Amino acid sequence: MCRLALKTSNETFSPYEVLTAMEAMKEGYDGSGLGLLLRGIEFEDFKYNPRFPILSGIAHTEKAWQHLSSYMEDRGYELKYDHRYHMGPNLIEAEDRFRYFLRAYRMPERFRDKGTEEREEEMMKTRLALRKIGEENNDLTIFSFWPDVVMIKEVGWPMQIGDALCLHDGQIKSRVCMAQGRQNTNYGINLYACHPFFIQGIATMTNGENTAFVPIKEWLLGKKFPGYIGYHSDSEVFAHILHYTLKQLKLPLEAYKHIITPLSTTELEKHPQGDFLKGLRDVCRRLIIDGPNAVIGTLPDETCLLVMDQKKLRPAIVGGHEGTWAIASEICGVDAMIPDRDPTLDFQPMREHTVIVPPDRKELTIWSQHDPFPLPQAA
Amino acid sequence: MVSTRSISVTPGSLTYSDLPWIIEHREDRCTLCGQCTSVCPKEAIHLSHMRQRVPKLDVFSKKRGSNYRNFTGIRQRTTMANSCIGCGMCSMVCPNDAIIAVPGTNENRTLFFENQKGEPNKRGGRRNVQGTTLLDRIMFNRISMLTDPALDAGRHEFSLTTTLGRVLSPEVFLDRKINGGWIPPTREIFPFVIGSMSFGALSPNMWLGLLQGVAYCNEVLGIPVVMCTGEGGCPPWVLRSPYLKYIILQIASGYFGWDEIIRAIPEMQCDPAAIEIKYGQGAKPGDGGLLMWYKVSKLIARLRGVPEGVDLPSPPVHQTLYSIEESVMKMIQTLSTAFNHKVPVYPKISASTSAKSVLNNLVRNPYAAGLMIDGIDGGTGAAYNVSLDATGHPVASCIRECYLDLAAQGMQNEIPIFAAGGIGKNGNVAQNGMALIMLGASGVHIGKYIMQATAGCLGNEKNRCNVCNVGICPKGITSQNPKLYRRLDPDLVAERVADTFMSIKTEVKKIMAPLGRSQSLPIGMADALGIADKDAAERLEIKYVC
Ligand code: SF4
Ligand code: SF4
């Protein structure tokens, strides 16, 4: 099993805080890897404009590093900032790590007046193109390319990776940080297989193994959407389903839970929008997850969410106070991130709940599937 | 040596050891009650008078001689028309355990004489291929171990239904919901469907017993089982009853029974579960339905709108069928319109190398609600031997190919594929059905298994019984002769239907729980399947395990 931790706060904080929570939960995972995703970025040595997409990844060789630089230039991107981690390289287990990079770019001229959708598509295509280049020689790994998002994935004990990249010294801070502490050991070891998974600003990380993985993957692949690739981990589909729900179907966030764990027919018969939801369940039947999973996600507007599979076979808990909230697999994880909260107000979602921390972080929204569903217009 | 003409031997003469089934009769136990001879559907046994020599030896007078005794016993007939079919009814009724039919172990010479009067043999039943089937050999081996917990089949909630009907893509569904378009009708049903067996092929007691059992499953047990009529219509009162919703009405190339159905439409209290258009079936692909004259009773003649006592062979194709694009499309659309676009309409075809092209046509037909593929191991009420034995395509690879084809187009949720043909042939009904579901079927149809499990059909793959075509079914399952079908108590059939589906449901849970699945039927979950046969594994794209 793996452990998950997320912290979201109005004030930026160091990702090291979240690594401390991972350390608190260390008995629960094998520490074979670390995945981090940060949003709401603040660099110590650069005044970052959150409109600039940041490319996160690892160049395994110098040649790949040069290839990357020239590719981005050719595609019309202007490099605004190239973050250099203060490194403690001897703490990294892997050998072929030429450079961990975070590079902020200005979008090419031709996108200046383009709409959001086109810009988002371009960013995804750039990421996929670089990933493909990297896969040819196995010398370049690209995690994300998106404004205000930084991702790091590495093999090894999470705290040690944090030390290696000197995450404690305040070089990078963020308002949202998600962390997962295990390489995907269910399938082959692969940097891409480490959570969180990212697609067009949407990210999820998951606890547990997804038993319905193969049919879901086949269905998503059949959609032929360029970003629905990879699947080195059975958990990657959770990010893609969330993306599909929000971006392709353009449904509200509440629909996610109705798609992955629909209510039963008897429950839907009593539901005020039962007819619509039954139809939605039928058309999205192949996306029903069977658990055991706790899914934690974040969206571009810094909304955070937590949902469980129908049987609630993986733990997760949310706690905090106005302005700062934390979600973790275990209470000790939340304790480590927000020691000064009232723990009696901590909440463990039931099978019908979606816990949402809205961008204003004032209070938790606990939304139940039995609540009226905000229908798309006129439906 | 005696002259040839003094012994009555003809080219067709047979003796006991030439027959597929040999009657062993014990005179010492027989009380001559006559039950066996009167129950035998083939008149294969008869009372016969025989003489026995009783040796007489007078020790004192040193004389030897013989006494003779006349006695009456049971003997087997060796004519083709009366050859024993091994049904075992005689032993079933014998109060003294005096008679039994045993399989003849010698070569079976009757095989060469089945073409009496120039007519090749026809039979009901099955393909007569014994042994484990490919489906029997598939294992479910993605067991949830430690990385994810296996579920508790007894305590967790399971969602075991499948969708019958065309499902839109999520994008189109939302668009139609918002802009008010047609959402095709769907049904949520139990994935094991009672396959098409007509009122006609089945006796009234059998058919109504099944319906009664199906209603009980739905209304009392909460298992949404549906049954298909086969080509033969439906009794008028059923058409006008609330039970119609558990019935898939079949239309086939003879259109039998459809006058009644069309007449009943305005008076229907509810919609039928679906309409199945039969273009082909697994047991005799490329051939139409066949109800032999023996079974066209007054009632059947009335239901089907035909004269009594005539053979009813349906043509191999629908008369209007000129091209798949045009006629199939039109027929599906017409039937959908007849039921106000509120009933799923889907075609049934024989498994075939051409199934994929049929499927690809259906994908483009917005009214097509699914595809039912029937494999070579399917059963039938009547067919020529050669069609049953050697024509057709096994169902597993056909289903898998079709599913993967749909998956490549991202359409696997939109057109449900149903599979039939040999499911539960060796009793492993839940295992066979779930294997097909994990290969990509949305559900399966079972026919022979239902006859065996719910009514005690005697047929087996050793050609036991299998006389369903000639109306002499000794169990009353496939006979239209009231003397025979009154043997079958519909209430008991209904009880067995309930037993059968309750047990299938439990076994399905027992299969799903260790795989960690409970929330949806594991359709296409081929990563959970393995087989110890490299070639089959490769063909089905599942794991080879040993
Ligand atoms: S087994 Fe059946 S066919 Fe054979 S003698 Fe007995 S009753 Fe007749
Ligand atoms: S028992 Fe009846 S239905 Fe079964 S094989 Fe014999 S004749 Fe056919």
Side-chain angles (χ1 to χ4, degrees), chain B residues 174-246:
Chain B
L174 289 173
D175 179 61
R176 294 211 188 155
K177 270 284 176 195
I178 291 166
N179 302 314
W182 175 60
I183 310 277
T186 56
R187 308 280 188 251
E188 242 190 281
I189 59 167
F190 192 64
F192 290 74
V193 175
I194 300 187
S196 42
M197 293 179 286
S198 68
F199 198 110
L202 296 186
S203 69
N205 282 18
M206 177 64 184
W207 203 91
L208 293 172
L210 287 180
L211 179 57
Q212 195 181 327
V214 165
Y216 187 86
C217 285
N218 279 274
E219 290 167 18
V220 182
L221 300 176
I223 311 176
V225 181
V226 294
M227 64 184 270
C228 180
T229 58
E231 181 189 20
C234 190
W237 71 266
V238 175
L239 290 169
R240 291 166 180 81
S241 76
Y243 304 118
L244 185 63
K245 57 178 174 290
Y246 310 135

Side-chain angles (χ1 to χ4, degrees), chain B residues 98-398:
Chain B
I99 189 164
I100 191 167
V102 293
T105 48
N106 202 340
E107 57 169 336
N108 179 356
R109 295 196 74 76
T110 51
L111 287 177
F112 305 102
F113 297 104
E114 275 167 346
N115 49 4
Q116 300 290 309
K117 301 204 170 75
E119 181 63 11
N121 191 35
K122 295 188 271 300
R123 66 168 197 266
R126 60 219 72 239
R127 194 167 149 231
N128 294 345
V129 174
Q130 298 158 41
T132 47
T133 62
L134 178 111
L135 294 176
D136 290 331
R137 288 186 286 139
I138 292 181
M139 294 167 254
F140 309 111
N141 54 12
R142 191 219 157 275
I143 310 299
S144 293
M145 271 296 130
L146 304 178
T147 58
D148 59 292
L151 305 176
D152 185 331
R155 293 182 190 84
H156 274 110
E157 267 175 34
F158 282 76
S159 159
L160 301 178
T161 54
T162 193
T163 310
L164 168 59
R166 179 65 168 242
V167 179
L168 298 172
S169 75
E171 290 85 354
V172 177
F173 166 76
L174 289 173
D175 179 61
R176 294 211 188 155
K177 270 284 176 195
I178 291 166
N179 302 314
W182 175 60
I183 310 277
T186 56
R187 308 280 188 251
E188 242 190 281
I189 59 167
F190 192 64
F192 290 74
V193 175
I194 300 187
S196 42
M197 293 179 286
S198 68
F199 198 110
L202 296 186
S203 69
N205 282 18
M206 177 64 184
W207 203 91
L208 293 172
L210 287 180
L211 179 57
Q212 195 181 327
V214 165
Y216 187 86
C217 285
N218 279 274
E219 290 167 18
V220 182
L221 300 176
I223 311 176
V225 181
V226 294
M227 64 184 270
C228 180
T229 58
E231 181 189 20
C234 190
W237 71 266
V238 175
L239 290 169
R240 291 166 180 81
S241 76
Y243 304 118
L244 185 63
K245 57 178 174 290
Y246 310 135
I247 289 181
I248 299 174
L249 294 170
Q250 190 188 77
I251 181 163
S253 55
Y255 306 129
F256 294 126
W258 274 78
D259 281 351
E260 278 293 345
I261 293 173
I262 301 290
R263 263 198 291 276
I265 289 180
E267 292 158 36
M268 283 179 185
Q269 291 186 37
C270 58
D271 289 321
I275 308 295
E276 177 175 283
I277 308 179
K278 187 183 92 176
Y279 291 105
Q281 71 183 88
K284 44 180 167 183
D287 207 350
L290 173 60
L291 191 69
M292 293 178 69
W293 67 266
Y294 314 89
K295 293 170 75 169
V296 185
S297 66
K298 201 165 165 190
L299 174 67
I300 300 304
R302 148 102 213 279
L303 275 185
R304 299 197 174 197
V306 295
E308 228 180 296
V310 293
D311 270 349
L312 298 181
S314 303
V317 290
H318 292 255
Q319 287 116 21
T320 50
L321 189 66
Y322 298 116
S323 77
I324 177 164
E325 287 81 7
E326 201 196 333
S327 323
V328 175
M329 173 102 86
K330 272 189 190 153
M331 190 152 178
I332 293 178
Q333 193 176 341
T334 310
L335 282 160
S336 179
T337 313
F339 289 89
N340 233 343
H341 301 297
K342 285 193 188 133
V343 177
V345 181
Y346 69 89
K348 166 179 174 175
I349 60 168
S350 322
S352 147
T353 48
S354 58
K356 248 168 51 179
S357 29
V358 175
L359 185 67
N360 282 317
N361 259 286
L362 296 180
V363 165
R364 287 188 284 279
N365 177 345
Y367 297 99
L371 178 64
M372 151 77 175
I373 300 178
D374 193 7
I376 189 168
D377 274 315
T380 177
Y384 283 91
N385 264 11
V386 68
S387 314
L388 266 172
D389 295 344
T391 321
H393 190 301
V395 71
S397 61
C398 193

